[in-house]
Amino acid sequence: MTTTPSSDRKRRGPARARILDAAAQHFYADGIAATGIDVITASAGVAKMSLYNNFASKAALVEAYIDARHEEWLGLYRARITDTSTAQDGVLAVFDAYIDHAAAAYDHGFRGCGLLNAAAELGADDPGRAAVRRHKEQVERILTEHLGRLTDPSAAQRLAERFSFLLEGAMARAGLEGEPTRLLHARGFAAEMLTAL
């Protein structure tokens, strides 16, 4: 049986997926502004026209990247939530999904939250920033839902905000340090806080 070189296999997949995968790798490792269309098309093994047949502009590609990162995190969270039975476990599943994200293999190392990194490069009125905000708001809503099983709605919202701050601060430090230790500590703090409820 003959084997196909990985570069040939890579070039045969759907162009949109290859472009988005290449963009995700470069946007995360190098930044959005530093990543040109030529780098993405070369990495994806497609012609520039193929990129524009799938994405109207680089901005549209950035939005698709942000949406894909959001769905990636939701997938990690859904995988974690399947093994939970309590509201406390549900809150910790959110932390575990972030830990899983940080522990994933990255070609050029872990650099923190890809969504916040992207938002930092985008203008205040850029649709991509709004997409990042929606993701962070959804994470906080998930926390609120779990915490709502432990306390009244108003307290659940306040606690969810605190857990969000803990999570985002830990993610920022983990990104700076290039490994998930701060997230593991944050999960421990969250577990301690949950025992008081």
PDB file of all heavy atoms in Angstrom, residues 22 25 39-40 43 66 89 99-101 103 130-131 141 167 177 182 192:
ATOM      1  N   ALA A  22      -5.371  27.210   8.356  1.00  0.00           N
ATOM      2  CA  ALA A  22      -4.109  27.949   8.203  1.00  0.00           C
ATOM      3  C   ALA A  22      -4.196  29.315   8.859  1.00  0.00           C
ATOM      4  O   ALA A  22      -3.268  29.748   9.556  1.00  0.00           O
ATOM      5  CB  ALA A  22      -3.760  28.091   6.713  1.00  0.00           C
ATOM      6  N   GLN A  25      -4.008  28.982  12.680  1.00  0.00           N
ATOM      7  CA  GLN A  25      -2.641  28.727  13.156  1.00  0.00           C
ATOM      8  C   GLN A  25      -1.808  30.005  13.149  1.00  0.00           C
ATOM      9  O   GLN A  25      -1.118  30.314  14.127  1.00  0.00           O
ATOM     10  CB  GLN A  25      -1.981  27.656  12.300  1.00  0.00           C
ATOM     11  CG  GLN A  25      -2.574  26.278  12.511  1.00  0.00           C
ATOM     12  CD  GLN A  25      -1.961  25.249  11.580  1.00  0.00           C
ATOM     13  OE1 GLN A  25      -0.831  25.397  11.140  1.00  0.00           O
ATOM     14  NE2 GLN A  25      -2.713  24.206  11.288  1.00  0.00           N
ATOM     15  N   VAL A  39       0.591  34.539   3.203  1.00  0.00           N
ATOM     16  CA  VAL A  39       1.042  33.530   4.167  1.00  0.00           C
ATOM     17  C   VAL A  39      -0.047  32.470   4.349  1.00  0.00           C
ATOM     18  O   VAL A  39       0.229  31.266   4.370  1.00  0.00           O
ATOM     19  CB  VAL A  39       1.390  34.189   5.523  1.00  0.00           C
ATOM     20  CG1 VAL A  39       1.601  33.152   6.613  1.00  0.00           C
ATOM     21  CG2 VAL A  39       2.612  35.079   5.381  1.00  0.00           C
ATOM     22  N   ILE A  40      -1.279  32.912   4.471  1.00  0.00           N
ATOM     23  CA  ILE A  40      -2.397  31.986   4.682  1.00  0.00           C
ATOM     24  C   ILE A  40      -2.588  31.087   3.471  1.00  0.00           C
ATOM     25  O   ILE A  40      -2.718  29.867   3.610  1.00  0.00           O
ATOM     26  CB  ILE A  40      -3.691  32.762   4.996  1.00  0.00           C
ATOM     27  CG1 ILE A  40      -3.539  33.497   6.334  1.00  0.00           C
ATOM     28  CG2 ILE A  40      -4.900  31.825   5.026  1.00  0.00           C
ATOM     29  CD1 ILE A  40      -4.618  34.525   6.609  1.00  0.00           C
ATOM     30  N   SER A  43       0.250  28.555   3.201  1.00  0.00           N
ATOM     31  CA  SER A  43       0.131  27.532   4.231  1.00  0.00           C
ATOM     32  C   SER A  43      -1.019  26.574   3.936  1.00  0.00           C
ATOM     33  O   SER A  43      -0.920  25.378   4.200  1.00  0.00           O
ATOM     34  CB  SER A  43      -0.073  28.199   5.589  1.00  0.00           C
ATOM     35  OG  SER A  43      -0.108  27.256   6.614  1.00  0.00           O
ATOM     36  N   ILE A  66     -12.804  33.721  14.569  1.00  0.00           N
ATOM     37  CA  ILE A  66     -13.338  33.961  15.908  1.00  0.00           C
ATOM     38  C   ILE A  66     -14.507  33.016  16.185  1.00  0.00           C
ATOM     39  O   ILE A  66     -14.597  32.413  17.258  1.00  0.00           O
ATOM     40  CB  ILE A  66     -13.729  35.440  16.074  1.00  0.00           C
ATOM     41  CG1 ILE A  66     -12.452  36.296  16.121  1.00  0.00           C
ATOM     42  CG2 ILE A  66     -14.596  35.658  17.313  1.00  0.00           C
ATOM     43  CD1 ILE A  66     -12.686  37.787  16.013  1.00  0.00           C
ATOM     44  N   ASP A  89     -19.948  20.926  39.856  1.00  0.00           N
ATOM     45  CA  ASP A  89     -19.191  20.281  38.776  1.00  0.00           C
ATOM     46  C   ASP A  89     -19.352  21.040  37.461  1.00  0.00           C
ATOM     47  O   ASP A  89     -18.413  21.125  36.663  1.00  0.00           O
ATOM     48  CB  ASP A  89     -19.648  18.832  38.572  1.00  0.00           C
ATOM     49  CG  ASP A  89     -19.254  17.908  39.713  1.00  0.00           C
ATOM     50  OD1 ASP A  89     -18.341  18.263  40.488  1.00  0.00           O
ATOM     51  OD2 ASP A  89     -19.875  16.830  39.819  1.00  0.00           O
ATOM     52  N   ILE A  99      -8.739  24.935  30.747  1.00  0.00           N
ATOM     53  CA  ILE A  99      -7.500  24.191  30.980  1.00  0.00           C
ATOM     54  C   ILE A  99      -7.198  23.294  29.784  1.00  0.00           C
ATOM     55  O   ILE A  99      -6.053  23.213  29.328  1.00  0.00           O
ATOM     56  CB  ILE A  99      -7.597  23.386  32.290  1.00  0.00           C
ATOM     57  CG1 ILE A  99      -7.630  24.337  33.485  1.00  0.00           C
ATOM     58  CG2 ILE A  99      -6.456  22.385  32.412  1.00  0.00           C
ATOM     59  CD1 ILE A  99      -8.062  23.695  34.798  1.00  0.00           C
ATOM     60  N   ASP A 100      -8.228  22.635  29.259  1.00  0.00           N
ATOM     61  CA  ASP A 100      -8.040  21.796  28.071  1.00  0.00           C
ATOM     62  C   ASP A 100      -7.535  22.622  26.891  1.00  0.00           C
ATOM     63  O   ASP A 100      -6.666  22.190  26.144  1.00  0.00           O
ATOM     64  CB  ASP A 100      -9.349  21.097  27.687  1.00  0.00           C
ATOM     65  CG  ASP A 100      -9.783  20.058  28.704  1.00  0.00           C
ATOM     66  OD1 ASP A 100      -8.948  19.625  29.534  1.00  0.00           O
ATOM     67  OD2 ASP A 100     -10.969  19.670  28.661  1.00  0.00           O
ATOM     68  N   HIS A 101      -8.093  23.816  26.745  1.00  0.00           N
ATOM     69  CA  HIS A 101      -7.661  24.715  25.672  1.00  0.00           C
ATOM     70  C   HIS A 101      -6.183  25.068  25.837  1.00  0.00           C
ATOM     71  O   HIS A 101      -5.407  25.024  24.885  1.00  0.00           O
ATOM     72  CB  HIS A 101      -8.521  25.988  25.693  1.00  0.00           C
ATOM     73  CG  HIS A 101      -8.015  27.093  24.846  1.00  0.00           C
ATOM     74  ND1 HIS A 101      -8.067  27.068  23.472  1.00  0.00           N
ATOM     75  CD2 HIS A 101      -7.429  28.271  25.168  1.00  0.00           C
ATOM     76  CE1 HIS A 101      -7.533  28.182  22.995  1.00  0.00           C
ATOM     77  NE2 HIS A 101      -7.142  28.917  24.007  1.00  0.00           N
ATOM     78  N   ALA A 103      -3.918  23.396  27.428  1.00  0.00           N
ATOM     79  CA  ALA A 103      -3.054  22.216  27.334  1.00  0.00           C
ATOM     80  C   ALA A 103      -2.934  21.674  25.908  1.00  0.00           C
ATOM     81  O   ALA A 103      -2.085  20.819  25.656  1.00  0.00           O
ATOM     82  CB  ALA A 103      -3.574  21.122  28.264  1.00  0.00           C
ATOM     83  N   ALA A 130     -17.109  42.395  18.690  1.00  0.00           N
ATOM     84  CA  ALA A 130     -18.455  42.076  19.170  1.00  0.00           C
ATOM     85  C   ALA A 130     -18.631  40.564  19.297  1.00  0.00           C
ATOM     86  O   ALA A 130     -19.265  40.083  20.246  1.00  0.00           O
ATOM     87  CB  ALA A 130     -19.505  42.668  18.236  1.00  0.00           C
ATOM     88  N   ALA A 131     -18.059  39.812  18.369  1.00  0.00           N
ATOM     89  CA  ALA A 131     -18.143  38.349  18.427  1.00  0.00           C
ATOM     90  C   ALA A 131     -17.401  37.812  19.650  1.00  0.00           C
ATOM     91  O   ALA A 131     -17.873  36.886  20.315  1.00  0.00           O
ATOM     92  CB  ALA A 131     -17.588  37.731  17.148  1.00  0.00           C
ATOM     93  N   ARG A 141     -22.882  33.465  31.076  1.00  0.00           N
ATOM     94  CA  ARG A 141     -24.256  32.944  31.196  1.00  0.00           C
ATOM     95  C   ARG A 141     -24.238  31.472  31.608  1.00  0.00           C
ATOM     96  O   ARG A 141     -25.066  31.029  32.416  1.00  0.00           O
ATOM     97  CB  ARG A 141     -25.019  33.109  29.882  1.00  0.00           C
ATOM     98  CG  ARG A 141     -25.600  34.485  29.667  1.00  0.00           C
ATOM     99  CD  ARG A 141     -26.614  34.520  28.537  1.00  0.00           C
ATOM    100  NE  ARG A 141     -26.129  33.960  27.293  1.00  0.00           N
ATOM    101  CZ  ARG A 141     -25.429  34.638  26.372  1.00  0.00           C
ATOM    102  NH1 ARG A 141     -25.115  35.904  26.578  1.00  0.00           N
ATOM    103  NH2 ARG A 141     -25.045  34.058  25.260  1.00  0.00           N
ATOM    104  N   LEU A 167     -11.369  33.498  36.060  1.00  0.00           N
ATOM    105  CA  LEU A 167     -11.019  32.704  34.890  1.00  0.00           C
ATOM    106  C   LEU A 167     -10.215  33.507  33.878  1.00  0.00           C
ATOM    107  O   LEU A 167      -9.171  33.060  33.396  1.00  0.00           O
ATOM    108  CB  LEU A 167     -12.305  32.180  34.252  1.00  0.00           C
ATOM    109  CG  LEU A 167     -12.206  31.177  33.122  1.00  0.00           C
ATOM    110  CD1 LEU A 167     -11.396  29.964  33.528  1.00  0.00           C
ATOM    111  CD2 LEU A 167     -13.603  30.766  32.694  1.00  0.00           C
ATOM    112  N   GLU A 177       2.712  33.110  30.667  1.00  0.00           N
ATOM    113  CA  GLU A 177       3.670  32.125  31.135  1.00  0.00           C
ATOM    114  C   GLU A 177       3.803  30.930  30.189  1.00  0.00           C
ATOM    115  O   GLU A 177       4.726  30.131  30.325  1.00  0.00           O
ATOM    116  CB  GLU A 177       3.274  31.671  32.544  1.00  0.00           C
ATOM    117  CG  GLU A 177       3.392  32.830  33.535  1.00  0.00           C
ATOM    118  CD  GLU A 177       2.688  32.594  34.855  1.00  0.00           C
ATOM    119  OE1 GLU A 177       2.233  31.457  35.118  1.00  0.00           O
ATOM    120  OE2 GLU A 177       2.591  33.563  35.632  1.00  0.00           O
ATOM    121  N   ARG A 182      -1.572  28.571  36.063  1.00  0.00           N
ATOM    122  CA  ARG A 182      -2.459  29.581  36.668  1.00  0.00           C
ATOM    123  C   ARG A 182      -3.928  29.173  36.555  1.00  0.00           C
ATOM    124  O   ARG A 182      -4.736  29.457  37.438  1.00  0.00           O
ATOM    125  CB  ARG A 182      -2.246  30.946  36.031  1.00  0.00           C
ATOM    126  CG  ARG A 182      -0.873  31.513  36.216  1.00  0.00           C
ATOM    127  CD  ARG A 182      -0.605  31.907  37.647  1.00  0.00           C
ATOM    128  NE  ARG A 182       0.744  32.440  37.774  1.00  0.00           N
ATOM    129  CZ  ARG A 182       1.171  33.135  38.799  1.00  0.00           C
ATOM    130  NH1 ARG A 182       0.376  33.383  39.818  1.00  0.00           N
ATOM    131  NH2 ARG A 182       2.407  33.579  38.843  1.00  0.00           N
ATOM    132  N   GLU A 192     -12.834  25.935  46.017  1.00  0.00           N
ATOM    133  CA  GLU A 192     -12.930  26.400  47.405  1.00  0.00           C
ATOM    134  C   GLU A 192     -14.130  27.336  47.584  1.00  0.00           C
ATOM    135  O   GLU A 192     -14.870  27.238  48.567  1.00  0.00           O
ATOM    136  CB  GLU A 192     -11.650  27.127  47.815  1.00  0.00           C
ATOM    137  CG  GLU A 192     -10.454  26.230  47.972  1.00  0.00           C
ATOM    138  CD  GLU A 192      -9.165  27.016  48.215  1.00  0.00           C
ATOM    139  OE1 GLU A 192      -9.246  28.238  48.504  1.00  0.00           O
ATOM    140  OE2 GLU A 192      -8.086  26.421  48.079  1.00  0.00           O
TER     141      GLU A 192
END
